[in-house]
Amino acid sequence: MEYEDRFRQNQRPKYDCLLFDLDDTLYPLSTGLAKACGQNIKDYMVEKLGIERSKINDLSNLLYKNYGTTMAGLRAIGYDFDYDEYHSFVHGRLPYENLKPDPVLRNLLLSLPYRKLIFTNSDKVHAVKALSRLGLEDCFEGIICFETLNHIHKSTVSDDEDDIEFVGGSDTTTKKDDSSFQIFDIIGHFAQPNPNTVLPKTPIICKPSENAIELALKIANLNPQRTLFFEDSVRNTQAGKRVGLHTVLVGTSQRIKGADYALESIHNLREAVPELWEDDIKSEIAYPGKLAVETSVTA
C-alpha cells in the first residue's frame, strides 16, 4: 500500500496543456456576440466589397462551410482587402458590454495546474478585449490568434516590446492587380457542379484546417497526445481529434464523434472532467500581470 501511494504521488498528469477556443467557448452563445459578428461580416461584404446584398446569405454560408471562416473564403475566391480593416469593421462594433466578469470561471481556470493557452481564429485585439471583459486576462500563458498563424509584413518597425516576428503563413500584404482581379463564382460552382473545376485555395490559415491546428501546436511546442482542446465548434473539435488532441465540445451535453467530453457550459468543467483536479497534482499555475499575446508561446 505504501508503494502504491508513493507511485500515485509520482505519477505524471495526463495532460501538459489545456488549449481553449475563445468565442462561444469561454462565454455563452447567448451573449449575442456571434450573431452581431455575423451581421457585421455581411455588412462588410456589401459596404466594402460591393457584393449584392441578395447574394450575401448564400455566399457567406458557402464560404464558411468550405473555408472555415468567411474571411478565408473571401480571399480564396478573389477578394482582396486589408486584414486589419476587416477585423476592425467586424469586431469593432460588437456588443462587448454583454461580456461580464466571470469569477466562477476565473477560479476554475486558476485552480487548474497546467499550461493554459487561447487558440482562436480572431485577431489579437478582439481576443485581448474579450478576455479583459471576462476578467480572464491573467489566466492564460498566451494567445494563438489570426496574426500568429498568418504572417503579416510590416513596413515600419514597432517599439512595442511585444512586437515580435510572427510564425507561420505567408506575407499577407494585399496588393490588387486590377488586370488579373477576378472573382470565382462559388455560388454557380455549387449550383451547377463541373468536375473539371476545383475550389480555389485560401492563403489564410485558420481552424478547422488540420494544418492550422498542427502549426499552432508547433508554435506552442505542444504534444497533441498530452493536450486537452476545448471548442464549441463540432468541426473544429473533430479536426483537433484527427490531429491527435484530446477534445472537449463546449455548449452541449451530448457527446459527438470526435469529442472525448461534452459540456453544456464551461462552468461544468469540474463535474465533467474531474481528473483534471487529481489529488496528487499539487502545483498551481497563474499568469499575473500583462497577458502575453502570441509571444511567449513561441519561446
Side-chain angles (χ1 to χ4, degrees):
M1 180 64 71
E2 181 181 349
Y3 171 79
E4 290 179 357
D5 290 341
R6 186 165 62 251
F7 175 77
R8 190 177 298 113
Q9 290 175 1
N10 294 330
Q11 210 170 14
R12 186 183 181 188
K14 184 176 181 179
Y15 305 110
D16 294 328
C17 182
L18 309 181
L19 191 62
F20 291 86
D21 174 52
L22 172 59
D23 298 303
D24 304 323
T25 296
L26 295 185
Y27 61 84
L29 185 64
S30 60
T31 59
L33 265 70
K35 182 178 180 180
C37 187
Q39 185 57 54
N40 290 345
I41 290 172
K42 293 177 180 179
D43 290 343
Y44 182 89
M45 293 166 70
V46 173
E47 297 175 25
K48 300 295 184 178
L49 301 181
I51 301 173
E52 294 178 28
R53 190 170 289 278
S54 61
K55 297 181 179 179
I56 292 298
N57 285 339
D58 288 341
L59 180 58
S60 58
N61 287 339
L62 284 173
L63 296 179
Y64 182 80
K65 178 181 179 181
N66 288 281
Y67 291 100
T69 68
T70 307
M71 180 187 190
L74 287 169
R75 286 289 284 118
I77 65 173
Y79 286 98
D80 208 354
F81 48 86
D82 181 85
Y83 293 171
D84 288 339
E85 179 192 57
Y86 178 93
H87 285 129
S88 179
F89 188 103
V90 168
H91 294 137
R93 297 179 292 176
L94 292 180
Y96 286 105
E97 65 275 8
N98 293 352
L99 296 180
K100 308 296 183 184
D102 191 340
V104 173
L105 179 55
R106 175 182 171 80
N107 288 335
L108 274 175
L109 291 171
L110 292 179
S111 71
L112 287 163
Y114 309 90
R115 290 183 69 193
K116 293 179 285 289
L117 298 170
I118 294 291
F119 178 23
T120 176
N121 280 338
S122 74
D123 66 311
K124 63 182 178 182
V125 172
H126 167 72
V128 171
K129 189 168 186 177
L131 288 172
S132 179
R133 295 287 303 190
L134 292 167
L136 306 177
E137 63 270 26
D138 60 345
C139 294
F140 300 93
E141 175 185 323
I143 300 172
I144 301 171
C145 59
F146 177 86
E147 291 91 341
T148 318
L149 302 185
N150 297 275
H151 178 69
I152 298 176
H153 175 74
K154 298 183 178 182
S155 58
T156 58
V157 178
S158 170
D159 292 329
D160 189 334
E161 63 181 1
D162 284 335
D163 183 20
I164 68 163
E165 181 180 358
F166 295 116
V167 181
S170 58
D171 190 339
T172 59
T173 303
T174 56
K175 299 177 181 179
K176 180 186 288 188
D177 180 358
D178 290 331
S179 64
S180 61
F181 185 67
Q182 187 174 357
I183 303 302
F184 178 83
D185 182 12
I186 191 171
I187 295 178
H189 172 77
F190 282 99
Q192 295 181 321
N194 183 339
N196 296 321
T197 304
V198 296
L199 284 175
K201 294 182 178 181
T202 181
I204 291 178
I205 302 173
C206 63
K207 295 180 288 184
S209 163
E210 292 176 28
N211 178 47
I213 299 173
E214 289 171 343
L215 180 57
L217 295 174
K218 181 179 179 181
I219 290 170
N221 192 27
L222 299 179
N223 176 353
Q225 296 293 337
R226 297 190 53 77
T227 301
L228 188 59
F229 181 41
F230 295 79
E231 258 285 356
D232 69 289
S233 164
V234 170
R235 61 181 181 170
N236 291 355
T237 301
Q238 292 174 335
K241 192 64 179 176
R242 289 194 297 270
V243 169
L245 292 162
H246 298 270
T247 56
V248 181
L249 181 63
V250 180
T252 176
S253 57
Q254 185 173 3
R255 192 163 65 90
I256 51 93
K257 183 179 180 180
D260 296 302
Y261 305 91
L263 312 178
E264 186 71 38
S265 163
I266 195 69
H267 291 154
N268 302 133
L269 181 56
R270 188 183 288 271
E271 292 77 20
V273 197
E275 58 264 37
L276 290 176
W277 286 270
E278 293 174 352
D279 291 340
D280 58 323
I281 302 175
K282 303 298 183 182
S283 63
E284 290 190 1
I285 301 176
Y287 310 103
K290 186 177 179 182
L291 180 68
V293 181
E294 75 287 327
T295 55
S296 61
V297 295
T298 65

